[in-house]
Amino acid sequence: MVAHARPRPRQHIRVLAAAAAAAMLLLSSALFTTARFPLAVSARLPNPTTTTRLLLFAGLPASSPLRAFCPRAPPSPSLATCAAFSSSSSTMAAADNPLLVADFDFPPFDRVEPTHVRPGIRELLTRLEGELEELEKGVQPTWGKLVEPLERITDRLEVIWGMVDHLKAVKDSADLRAAVEEVQPDKVKFQLRLGQSKPIYEAFKAIRNSSDWDSLSDARKRIVEAQIKEAVLSGVALEDEQREKFNQIEQELEKLTQKFSENVLDATKKFEKLITDKKEIEGLPATALGLAAQTAVSKGHENATAENGPWVITLDAPSYIPVMQHAQNRELREEVYRAYLTRASSGELDNTNIISQILKLRLEKAKLLGYKNYAEVSMAQKMATVERVEELLEKLRAASWDHAVKDMEDLKIFAKDSGSPEANDLTHWDLTFWSERLRETKYDINEEELRPYFALPKVMDGLFTLAHKLFGVTVEPADGLAPVWHSDVKFYCVKDSSNSPVAYFYFDPYSRPSEKRGGAWMNVVFSRSRVLARNGLSARLPVAHMVCNQTPPVGEKPSLMTFREVETVFHEFGHALQHMLTKQDEGFVAGIRGVEWDAVELPSQFMENWCYHKNTLLSIAKHYETGETLPEEIYAKLVAAKNFRAGTFSLRQIRFASVDMELHTTYDPNGSLSIYDVDRRVAERTQVLAPLPEDRFLCSFSHIFAGGYAAGYYSYKWAEVLSADAFSAFEDAGLDNEKAIEETGRRFRDTVLALGGGKSPLEVFVSFRGREPSPEPLLRHNGLLPVAA
């Protein structure tokens, strides 16, 4: 997405661990940042491209105890105290338009309407254009005359556009889409103008070549080098016709990627299956029936009940996944699976031609910049190279293949032994169903029966307790302090050991298919920043938001989560922790900003490991009615089932990463082969069961066509190596040794979580682990080591 989902001007974070095989793509997430325009994406993310989404940042008023957020002091006491976006000529407009009001502690999400977008964004861009001209006229190769004013300009745009972009992701509407579409070209034009500023570019080069270079901190050196690289990748070196063509490509990519995302959302919403005969949904657990009835009520079936229906099935994850796992009706599974697999691949919502155009434009862009293919452009801002990615993916593929073959054999034998008539003809819509039956039998564990032990409030309490133990921070509810965009949204304050606030975050947990993108992601609202501090405080505090799409409360019951949903929350909180616990005060490299894309999943995937830690899991697994702790024998079964079908899940991720790389390296979008030909060729070596001929999953592959993961989906596996090795440090210390865990946790905070983009990811890892990363812990954790050996 990170990033997400992830969730970067790309978007963030995002992001999940191993989800049910049939829903892995839907549930995975994202993160993405670039040097000059840090953006957050999610996997089901908001929009894409180097000029796409911007992180939300905002300033605070002097009257607030949160003044640390204020971007700068007011120019005049007659104006609102924060005055981050005020100008004497537009005080009245600012008062009427929440996108131009400077006096807020946190973004006024509750006040922004689609009608505010056009005038608000246009006025903002006019002001910023004037400030950019002033910067260029007086620019000097010094921190105070270059980097600090540049950070203020980018921060203001990030605040306002980020606010709009976030609302589009969580509160979508036709009016908001139309408004964004109208002003988006102006926003991209300004970003290109800023990214291609030669006075700014030359000033950064002058710093790099100055006699003072060696005296700069590592963080400042990273900022300068990243800004120079980002400028080159933004086309600063291009002239005349080439620059005009580059800018046309960026504008078109912005439109196409946004349209791709909208088509996926609309196609997902479009499918609704009304069921009136309960026999058709036999096998669905009570939670799924309750949600299906609740959905039916929202569609006008006022008397729908979980017991008697009618029921409405959708392609939203909390509805789709239970059908694939539990519906005994094979025809229903087939219908829902085919609908999911072919989303956005036909009619007015068909993304096929959009994908083709995106790939052509990315290739053309790469060649304008002097690269052979778009993957090389992508790798210019990552840890890896194309060759090292291919090497890693092949190593993991080889380690996974035999295990995946055995997974399929075991499934066929089990289905046959169960007397299933489909045992000799198992296909895609059968795999998740029979996998769940095999898991229940082999480990005597039923995920639906675990739901009552994972009520959302208790899970969050346990997650915050873990954060306190590992990192020494306290998380407290702060509802009412900040405006929110929906009544479901919660707001929290993070405090250090002295009880002082160090960060804040929003949490939007539940699925809302009619207006909210699917998936899960973390995104930035404010970054920590010395430049934007005021009133004696050393830095503006960071703020994040976490967005999930888990099962909502049904009736009087709280949200009862699947174990996968628990892992997802831990994952996104890992992203948020890296953003919130940073000690880096240089805004361009604080938190997740400036972190190479293929390293941002380290903290998120690291946190997932704690879901299997005995003390942690038993602290959150309390029955929502009785308070009973999850029996230890069930915990043991969960651990035993951890690597169930690990080879299959690994190959699925490798397929996604491999097809992404091929489409952005060797594939010729102007040639005779189709994108589906490429996918089928990749599947031959990454899927034990060949895809259906009509498989069109690429048409909903938002990670690479509407997010920040183009030629970057491998990042999940790359960062998984880092995260598994990082967690192995806690294993080495002794997971039952509380003092050792606490000491190792503090070291993790002081390196991985604290240093942000101020050092290279490899340096950060070595600072924590004492050596370079090894893939051995990942293979061991996944039960794949014997084959690898």
Side-chain angles (χ1 to χ4, degrees):
M1 280 178 141
V2 342
H4 211 190
R6 329 151 142 113
R8 348 224 133 320
R10 306 278 199 232
Q11 266 234 353
H12 55 216
I13 265 173
R14 177 194 91 159
V15 243
L16 269 161
M24 180 83 73
L25 177 60
L26 182 67
L27 295 181
S28 58
S29 175
L31 222 277
F32 183 91
T33 54
T34 60
R36 188 163 297 170
F37 301 116
L39 289 175
V41 320
S42 117
R44 286 87 347 196
L45 12 208
N47 316 343
T49 321
T50 316
T51 52
T52 305
R53 287 172 241 34
L54 289 159
L55 305 176
L56 291 85
F57 295 79
L60 302 182
S63 59
S64 167
L66 307 175
R67 291 174 154 191
F69 291 109
C70 262
R72 63 178 181 178
S76 164
S78 64
L79 297 180
T81 48
C82 203
F85 311 101
S86 61
S87 71
S88 58
S89 63
S90 58
T91 303
M92 185 61 71
D96 295 337
N97 191 324
L99 295 179
L100 296 173
V101 172
D103 187 15
F104 55 70
D105 291 346
F106 299 98
F109 290 116
D110 59 335
R111 293 180 51 207
V112 177
E113 300 292 340
T115 53
H116 297 132
V117 173
R118 294 177 180 87
I121 295 300
R122 285 169 176 157
E123 172 64 20
L124 174 69
L125 292 174
T126 298
R127 298 178 189 180
L128 293 181
E129 178 65 33
E131 294 193 18
L132 176 56
E133 290 176 359
E134 288 299 312
L135 172 59
E136 289 177 323
K137 288 177 183 177
V139 70
Q140 297 177 25
T142 66
W143 216 256
K145 296 293 185 179
L146 171 62
V147 183
E148 293 181 3
L150 178 63
E151 184 178 345
R152 290 189 178 100
I153 290 174
T154 58
D155 189 77
R156 296 177 195 173
L157 181 56
E158 289 165 354
V159 171
I160 300 307
W161 185 262
M163 194 188 314
V164 173
D165 191 60
H166 175 67
L167 289 173
K168 190 171 181 294
V170 297
K171 200 175 181 179
D172 189 40
S173 70
D175 290 342
L176 183 56
R177 284 188 185 185
V180 169
E181 182 177 350
E182 189 171 324
V183 298
Q184 188 167 261
D186 297 328
K187 185 266 296 184
V188 175
K189 182 178 179 181
F190 177 78
Q191 288 180 304
L192 288 167
R193 160 86 170 82
L194 178 57
Q196 295 170 357
S197 170
K198 288 197 172 181
I200 292 175
Y201 174 60
E202 294 298 333
F204 273 113
K205 288 203 299 182
I207 292 178
R208 178 65 182 86
N209 297 325
S210 73
S211 59
D212 296 332
W213 175 252
D214 290 338
S215 66
L216 293 182
S217 66
D218 289 344
R220 290 192 170 189
K221 288 179 179 178
R222 291 259 298 172
I223 290 172
V224 172
E225 291 171 339
Q227 291 289 335
I228 293 172
K229 182 181 292 184
E230 177 68 19
V232 172
L233 295 178
S234 295
V236 71
L238 302 177
E239 300 290 349
D240 303 326
E241 292 183 4
Q242 283 192 325
R243 177 178 288 198
E244 182 179 353
K245 182 62 178 177
F246 180 91
N247 290 351
Q248 290 175 353
I249 289 172
E250 290 291 86
Q251 288 280 9
E252 190 61 22
L253 282 172
E254 185 87 2
K255 295 176 185 177
L256 290 168
T257 50
Q258 178 169 297
K259 181 61 175 174
F260 183 100
S261 179
E262 291 172 354
N263 284 351
V264 174
L265 177 61
D266 290 346
T268 302
K269 291 194 299 183
K270 186 176 181 180
F271 179 89
E272 293 177 6
K273 182 170 180 62
L274 178 66
I275 297 175
T276 56
D277 185 351
K278 196 170 186 178
K279 292 181 180 179
E280 291 188 37
I281 52 174
E282 189 172 349
L284 259 64
T287 52
L289 292 174
L291 179 61
Q294 190 166 280
T295 304
V297 171
S298 72
K299 303 297 181 182
H301 302 276
E302 299 178 359
N303 298 319
T305 66
E307 180 62 29
N308 299 315
W311 305 270
V312 171
I313 302 298
T314 72
L315 298 182
D316 199 47
S319 177
Y320 168 77
I321 294 175
V323 170
M324 301 312 300
Q325 287 180 322
H326 302 291
Q328 296 176 14
N329 183 344
R330 194 186 190 202
E331 292 182 358
L332 174 64
R333 298 200 307 267
E334 178 180 359
E335 179 181 356
V336 173
Y337 177 83
R338 287 183 181 276
Y340 181 77
L341 195 68
T342 57
R343 285 177 302 158
S345 66
S346 63
E348 61 182 10
L349 300 178
D350 191 351
N351 274 336
T352 303
N353 187 53
I354 290 177
I355 293 173
S356 178
Q357 293 179 67
I358 288 173
L359 292 174
K360 289 177 182 178
L361 289 171
R362 285 175 177 169
L363 180 59
E364 188 174 1
K365 172 183 173 178
K367 291 185 175 180
L368 281 172
L369 293 173
Y371 292 94
K372 291 188 297 184
N373 53 57
Y374 186 78
E376 291 186 353
V377 176
S378 175
M379 297 300 164
Q381 292 180 304
K382 293 182 172 67
M383 293 178 68
T385 63
V386 172
E387 293 74 20
R388 291 188 68 189
V389 169
E390 291 174 344
E391 179 184 345
L392 174 66
L393 292 178
E394 175 55 27
K395 181 173 185 177
L396 296 177
R397 189 203 68 80
S400 304
W401 181 262
D402 287 348
H403 290 274
V405 170
K406 188 175 187 306
D407 288 344
M408 180 61 72
E409 293 173 350
D410 290 346
L411 214 56
K412 290 179 178 178
I413 292 171
F414 177 76
K416 186 174 182 179
D417 290 346
S418 300
S420 169
E422 64 221 41
N424 294 322
D425 187 32
L426 287 185
T427 189
H428 297 275
W429 48 86
D430 302 318
L431 301 186
T432 304
F433 176 81
W434 283 106
S435 295
E436 191 65 15
R437 304 291 78 74
L438 176 57
R439 195 169 75 100
E440 291 169 354
T441 301
K442 186 174 183 179
Y443 301 102
D444 189 22
I445 191 169
N446 184 315
E447 189 162 272
E448 283 299 314
E449 293 177 359
L450 295 178
R451 279 186 187 264
Y453 289 97
F454 296 123
L456 176 63
K458 193 63 184 176
V459 169
M460 299 306 290
D461 287 346
L463 178 57
F464 299 156
T465 298
L466 176 65
H468 178 73
K469 180 174 72 172
L470 294 178
F471 312 125
V473 296
T474 302
V475 181
E476 298 178 353
D479 293 323
L481 182 62
V484 296
W485 52 92
H486 192 277
S487 59
D488 288 344
V489 179
K490 302 297 182 184
F491 192 66
Y492 295 94
C493 175
V494 182
K495 296 182 177 182
D496 62 16
S497 57
S498 66
N499 205 38
S500 299
V502 295
Y504 296 84
F505 71 96
Y506 304 81
F507 181 39
D508 185 353
Y510 308 128
S511 169
R512 295 190 300 275
S514 64
E515 64 177 11
K516 183 178 176 183
R517 279 191 179 95
W521 65 90
M522 169 269 168
N523 211 336
V524 173
V525 181
F526 308 135
S527 277
R528 184 178 175 87
S529 172
R530 173 190 56 82
V531 171
L532 300 178
R534 54 171 300 179
N535 295 328
L537 293 171
S538 63
R540 181 182 68 178
L541 301 183
V543 181
H545 53 64
M546 290 167 49
V547 182
C548 294
N549 270 276
Q550 66 193 51
T551 307
V554 176
E556 299 300 316
K557 295 180 180 180
S559 173
L560 300 178
M561 305 167 67
T562 67
F563 189 68
R564 299 299 183 192
E565 289 173 337
V566 173
E567 289 181 304
T568 300
V569 170
F570 273 62
H571 180 107
E572 300 308 331
F573 193 60
H575 283 307
L577 286 170
Q578 185 176 31
H579 171 63
M580 297 189 295
L581 300 188
T582 184
K583 294 181 180 178
Q584 178 56 256
D585 290 340
E586 297 290 349
F588 280 120
V589 290
I592 62 173
R593 297 183 76 179
V595 177
E596 280 75 352
W597 183 257
D598 41 10
V600 295
E601 295 296 333
L602 192 170
S604 57
Q605 294 178 334
F606 163 81
M607 286 299 293
E608 289 182 36
N609 288 283
W610 293 99
C611 294
Y612 291 94
H613 178 236
K614 183 176 180 179
N615 291 344
T616 299
L617 185 65
L618 296 184
S619 73
I620 67 176
K622 308 286 187 182
H623 197 283
Y624 80 101
E625 289 179 318
T626 67
E628 173 196 5
T629 300
L630 183 76
E632 289 199 19
E633 58 268 25
I634 296 182
Y635 162 75
K637 294 172 183 176
L638 262 178
V639 173
K642 178 178 180 288
N643 291 327
F644 178 62
R645 293 177 62 77
T648 298
F649 291 139
S650 178
L651 282 185
R652 184 171 177 83
Q653 289 295 80
I654 292 167
R655 173 194 176 189
F656 295 160
S658 298
V659 73
D660 170 36
M661 289 301 294
E662 287 214 16
L663 288 174
H664 290 105
T665 52
T666 59
Y667 176 64
D668 180 5
N670 298 300
S672 58
L673 290 179
S674 73
I675 56 174
Y676 307 117
D677 293 330
V678 174
D679 183 36
R680 281 190 287 271
R681 184 174 67 222
V682 169
E684 289 178 1
R685 65 178 193 274
T686 59
Q687 297 291 278
V688 175
L689 180 64
L692 296 175
E694 59 270 35
D695 187 325
R696 294 294 182 270
F697 101 90
L698 287 173
C699 287
S700 58
F701 199 177
S702 296
H703 280 80
I704 70 171
F705 297 121
Y709 284 90
Y713 195 88
Y714 76 89
S715 298
Y716 282 105
K717 284 299 181 185
W718 186 273
E720 201 175 351
V721 170
L722 302 177
S723 64
D725 199 349
F727 187 73
S728 72
F730 291 82
E731 295 174 324
D732 293 347
L735 292 176
D736 294 326
N737 185 332
E738 293 292 329
K739 183 179 180 181
I741 290 298
E742 180 178 317
E743 292 174 350
T744 309
R746 297 303 190 274
R747 193 168 76 248
F748 187 86
R749 173 182 174 171
D750 292 341
T751 52
V752 176
L753 300 183
L755 296 177
K759 288 183 178 292
S760 73
L762 183 58
E763 287 181 278
V764 172
F765 184 90
V766 171
S767 295
F768 169 67
R769 200 68 177 94
R771 57 165 175 75
E772 293 193 3
S774 165
E776 185 272 340
L778 173 61
L779 295 173
R780 174 168 52 82
H781 288 171
N782 288 346
L784 303 176
L785 191 58
V787 173

